[in-house]
């Protein structure tokens, strides 16, 4: 017997029977079916709009619900659409799982009855069988978090059989989905009404596979979007019983380019990890929609050790689509494998174009220096600083940008890193304009700072931390002097170079703009 089943036997007082669920006192077992998929959900909270309750019942193991972080209790409930006998509940937890929780049912969504109490949960997949519970609503009520984060479920599956009457026929799929207008930050959609034997109550609008809105009519204006970006939309119809239609045929829509047209690049770091595949899948979809000329990574591209096997299994299936246009830098996790996986995956022409994991390249009016900060954090400077000094001295471009993994100045849990000062100070001497980094898993926009970390609009370097490419986020942000904006949300930076000026948008995984910066003029 597995450890998990032993735990359930102790906690619940019965060994789960998965193949033949228990039913009420001696009655024959009704055919068990999945009752919860695509049914309406309600939640106590969500971490953000891209992690809604609907994603826990969508049948996909790569999308999830996540509650707000750092607070108990939290819950998610699903409306089965009518009275039912619930025989089994299956929970697939993300890394943020419940140590203690209850499984509850209700006939009206207001008064709840506890069916199982679980203590000492260890995450992974929990199967709670042997239930013979009646109700229309099922709720998972977390009372004690196992981590500092919130509660997060890849999937909540409720099995059993419908009892009594009720509408179980879904509407037809909407047809004729079309784009009727677009601006730099909006897309307007229209479609033909779906049909239902009782009546359609509304529509769900999906952008890039995620539900982003509901509409009571056959039209919707999606606003606050990134400029010059392509999105894929579908629409589903829902009736009063919660039955959901299949999706309409997809349609692609693009927002208009912004006023600062120019060279477009994407910047992000801290990207691919086995335990959180949906986030780097979604950030990769953002890159696809942006269609940049280059992708700049600011280290920790692949966790946990940056081996070639890990790169091929995870990063390659998402961000690997852009390898040919990627200008990467390594992080400390790549160094766990002594850069072997990093160099093997990207190849010499990309990872070490000048024979070292640091190099420079140019585009338009810009000179970029891509550096390897891990040796500096170990107290070793050596040849890289000498190379950087010579490279900057020979530069003829008007604008200079640097990027690497460890930030010099930072409001996150790692704070300011004095060992990175040699990079910063050389770029200060060269009157560089902007620096991008990662390492702390949040976004931060900082005013120009001098060598002491004080604001100096005339002579300092502007910087941004963009460690939001896919790995678990860090929420320990205490803004230091000079911080203009900071938050912990997944996404990417869309960086636009327009001659001797630059600007950027931070785009969340739902396609919405989370921050705008610039335009700034090169020094």
């Amino acid at each position: 017997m597995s450890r998990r089943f032993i735990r359930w036997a102790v906690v619940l007082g019965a060994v789960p029977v998965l193949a033949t669920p228990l039913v009420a006192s001696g009655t024959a077992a009704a055919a068990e079916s999945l009752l919860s998929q695509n049914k309406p959900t309600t939640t106590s909270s969500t971490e953000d709009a891209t992690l809604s309750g609907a994603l826990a019942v969508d049948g996909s193991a790569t999308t999830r619900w996540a509650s707000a972080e750092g607070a108990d209790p939290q819950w998610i409930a699903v409306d089965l659409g009518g009275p039912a006998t619930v025989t089994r509940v299956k929970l697939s937890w993300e890394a943020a799982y419940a140590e203690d929780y209850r499984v509850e049912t209700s006939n009206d969504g207001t008064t709840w009855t506890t069916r199982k109490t679980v203590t000492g949960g260890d995450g992974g997949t929990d199967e709670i069988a042997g239930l013979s519970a009646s109700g229309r609503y099922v709720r998972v009520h977390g009372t004690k978090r196992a981590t500092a984060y919130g509660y997060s479920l890849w999937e909540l599956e409720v099995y059993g059989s419908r009892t009594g009457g009720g509408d179980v026929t879904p509407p037809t799929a909407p047809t004729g989905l079309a784009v009727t207008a677009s601006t730099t930050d909006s897309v307007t959609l229209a479609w033909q009404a779906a049909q239902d034997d009782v009546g359609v109550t509304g529509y769900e609008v999906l952008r890039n596979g995620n539900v982003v809105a509901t509409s009571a009519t056959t039209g919707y204006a999606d606003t606050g979007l990134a400029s010059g970006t392509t999105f894929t939309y579908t629409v589903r119809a829902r009736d009063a019983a919660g039955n959901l239609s299949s999706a309409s045929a997809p349609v692609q829509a693009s927002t208009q380019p912004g006023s600062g047209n120019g060279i477009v690049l994407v910047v992000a770091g801290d990207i691919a990890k086995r335990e959180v595949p949906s986030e780097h899948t979604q950030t990769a979809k953002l890159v696809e929609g942006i269609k940049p000329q280059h992708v700049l990574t600011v280290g920790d591209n692949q966790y946990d050790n940056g081996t070639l096997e890990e790169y091929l299994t995870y990063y390659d299936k998402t961000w690997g689509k852009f390898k040919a246009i990627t200008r990467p830098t390594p992080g400390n996790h790549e160094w766990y494998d002594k850069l072997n996986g990093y160099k093997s995956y990207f190849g010499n022409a990309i990872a070490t174009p000048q024979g070292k994991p640091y190099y420079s390249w140019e585009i338009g009016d810009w000179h970029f220096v891509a550096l390897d900060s891990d040796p500096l954090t170990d107290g070793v400077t050596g040849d890289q600083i000498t190379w950087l000094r010579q490279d900057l001295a020979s530069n003829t471009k008007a604008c200079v940008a640097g990027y690497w993994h460890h930030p010099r100045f930072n409001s996150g849990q790692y704070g300011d890193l004095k060992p990175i000062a040699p990079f910063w100070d050389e770029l200060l001497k060269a009157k560089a304009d902007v620096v991008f980094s990662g390492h702390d898993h949040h976004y931060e926009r900082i005013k120009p700072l001098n060598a002491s970390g004080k604001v100096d609009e005339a002579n300092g370097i502007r910087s941004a931390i963009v460690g939001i490419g896919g790995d678990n986020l860090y929420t320990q942000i205490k803004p230091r002097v000079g911080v203009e904006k900071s938050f912990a949300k997944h996404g990417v930076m869309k960086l636009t170079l327009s001659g001797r000026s630059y600007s950027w948008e931070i785009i969340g995984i739902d396609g919405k703009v989370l921050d705008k910066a610039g335009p700034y003029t090169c020094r």
Side-chain angles (χ1 to χ4, degrees):
M1 184 178 287
S2 72
R3 180 176 62 86
R4 183 177 299 283
F5 279 8
I6 291 172
R7 177 171 61 81
W8 285 120
V10 172
V11 173
L12 304 179
V15 176
V17 182
L18 304 183
T20 55
L22 302 178
V23 294
S25 56
T27 60
E32 184 187 63
S33 60
L34 178 59
L35 304 176
S36 54
Q37 189 162 321
N38 289 324
K39 293 300 184 182
T41 60
T42 53
T43 62
S44 55
S45 66
T46 58
E47 184 180 326
D48 61 52
T50 68
L51 300 168
S52 67
L55 298 177
V57 295
D58 64 354
S60 171
T62 62
T63 59
R64 63 187 176 97
W65 163 68
S67 74
E69 297 181 340
D72 294 314
Q74 301 285 347
W75 52 263
I76 178 172
V78 57
D79 179 357
L80 304 179
T85 296
V86 176
T87 56
R88 178 164 57 103
V89 174
K90 180 178 178 180
L91 305 174
S92 299
W93 294 102
E94 194 253 353
Y97 65 93
E99 183 174 330
D100 299 345
Y101 63 94
R102 301 191 299 265
V103 176
E104 305 167 329
T105 62
S106 173
N107 293 321
D108 58 8
T110 301
T111 302
W112 296 91
T113 300
T114 299
R115 301 299 181 177
K116 290 293 180 183
T117 298
V118 177
T119 58
D122 59 3
T125 299
D126 291 343
E127 293 223 33
I128 305 174
L131 298 172
S132 183
S134 62
R136 173 171 174 164
Y137 305 85
V138 175
R139 183 167 74 173
V140 178
H141 192 134
T143 56
K144 183 179 180 181
R145 291 166 290 118
T147 71
Y149 300 101
Y151 299 85
S152 184
L153 283 166
W154 294 111
E155 282 294 294
L156 160 59
E157 299 176 9
V158 179
Y159 293 86
S161 57
R162 289 286 299 271
T163 58
D167 179 12
V168 295
T169 303
T172 62
T175 58
L177 177 62
V179 180
T180 59
S182 68
T183 68
T184 57
D185 64 355
S186 69
V187 169
T188 303
L189 304 166
W191 57 90
Q192 300 297 315
Q195 303 300 313
D196 186 69
D197 58 346
V198 176
V200 173
T201 58
Y203 299 88
E204 293 183 348
V205 180
L206 292 84
R207 183 194 326 114
N208 293 344
N210 294 321
V211 176
V212 294
T214 58
S215 175
T217 67
T218 56
Y220 177 70
D222 196 13
T223 60
L225 303 174
S227 62
T229 303
T230 301
F231 305 96
T232 299
Y233 289 93
T234 55
V235 179
R236 302 187 299 206
R238 193 184 287 278
D239 64 19
N243 299 304
L244 191 65
S245 77
S246 56
S248 68
V251 63
Q252 285 201 323
S254 298
T255 49
Q256 299 297 316
S259 56
N261 296 336
I263 300 166
V264 175
L265 304 92
V266 162
V267 185
D270 306 278
I271 299 170
K273 190 172 184 178
R274 175 185 60 195
E275 291 86 352
V276 281
S278 65
E279 274 75 3
H280 66 89
T281 297
Q282 291 171 312
T283 55
K285 287 181 179 178
L286 293 177
V287 184
E288 268 188 291
I290 294 169
K291 298 180 177 64
Q293 287 182 244
H294 289 292
V295 171
L296 282 55
T297 71
V298 288
D300 282 2
N301 314 299
Q302 176 62 61
Y303 293 85
D304 286 319
N305 299 305
T307 64
L308 179 59
E309 181 181 4
E310 288 173 325
Y311 263 102
L312 293 174
T313 304
Y314 305 107
Y315 183 97
D316 189 61
K317 292 179 171 58
T318 56
W319 283 66
K321 298 174 185 177
F322 323 113
K323 183 161 71 170
I325 60 170
T326 298
R327 305 277 190 165
T329 61
N332 50 288
H333 280 266
E334 275 82 16
W335 269 99
Y336 293 164
D337 190 42
K338 299 180 180 179
L339 298 188
N340 290 324
Y342 174 78
K343 293 177 182 179
S344 297
Y345 177 73
F346 285 111
N348 290 338
I350 296 176
T352 56
Q354 299 167 2
K356 300 287 184 180
Y358 48 86
Y359 56 93
S360 63
W361 57 283
E362 294 175 341
I363 189 168
D365 291 301
W366 285 78
H367 182 79
F368 283 87
V369 286
L371 303 177
D372 178 11
S373 61
D374 207 65
L376 269 70
T377 63
D378 292 336
V380 179
T381 56
D383 295 340
Q384 187 172 188
I385 299 302
T386 301
W387 171 87
L388 176 60
R389 187 177 300 120
Q390 294 170 347
D391 178 85
L392 293 172
S394 62
N395 168 52
T396 60
K397 296 291 184 177
C399 307
V400 176
Y403 62 105
W404 58 81
H405 186 56
H406 299 85
R408 172 64 182 96
F409 300 109
N410 173 22
S411 296
Q413 65 177 354
Y414 294 116
D416 294 353
L417 289 176
K418 191 173 182 179
I420 305 300
F423 281 176
W424 191 269
D425 294 348
E426 290 300 326
L427 287 163
L428 270 175
K429 295 173 188 175
K431 299 187 182 298
D433 299 285
V434 64
V435 163
F436 305 111
S437 57
H439 194 50
D440 251 302
H441 301 183
H442 70 281
Y443 166 71
E444 183 168 347
R445 169 164 51 92
I446 310 174
K447 292 180 178 180
L449 302 180
N450 62 19
S452 301
K454 296 181 179 179
V455 175
D456 186 343
E457 298 277 4
N459 302 303
I461 302 174
R462 188 175 301 280
S463 62
I465 298 170
V466 202
I468 55 177
D471 191 26
N472 290 315
L473 298 167
Y474 299 167
T475 58
Q476 305 93 322
I477 306 171
K478 296 181 179 179
R480 70 177 316 284
V481 172
V483 172
E484 297 176 308
K485 184 83 171 183
S486 63
F487 51 75
K489 294 182 179 181
H490 287 111
V492 300
M493 172 186 286
K494 178 185 176 183
L495 174 64
T496 302
L497 312 178
S498 301
R500 297 188 178 190
S501 70
Y502 64 103
S503 60
W504 69 75
E505 296 173 323
I506 300 298
I507 306 170
I509 55 178
D510 63 350
K512 295 278 190 176
V513 175
L514 302 176
D515 187 38
K516 286 187 176 184
Y520 306 113
T521 302
C522 294
R523 293 197 292 146

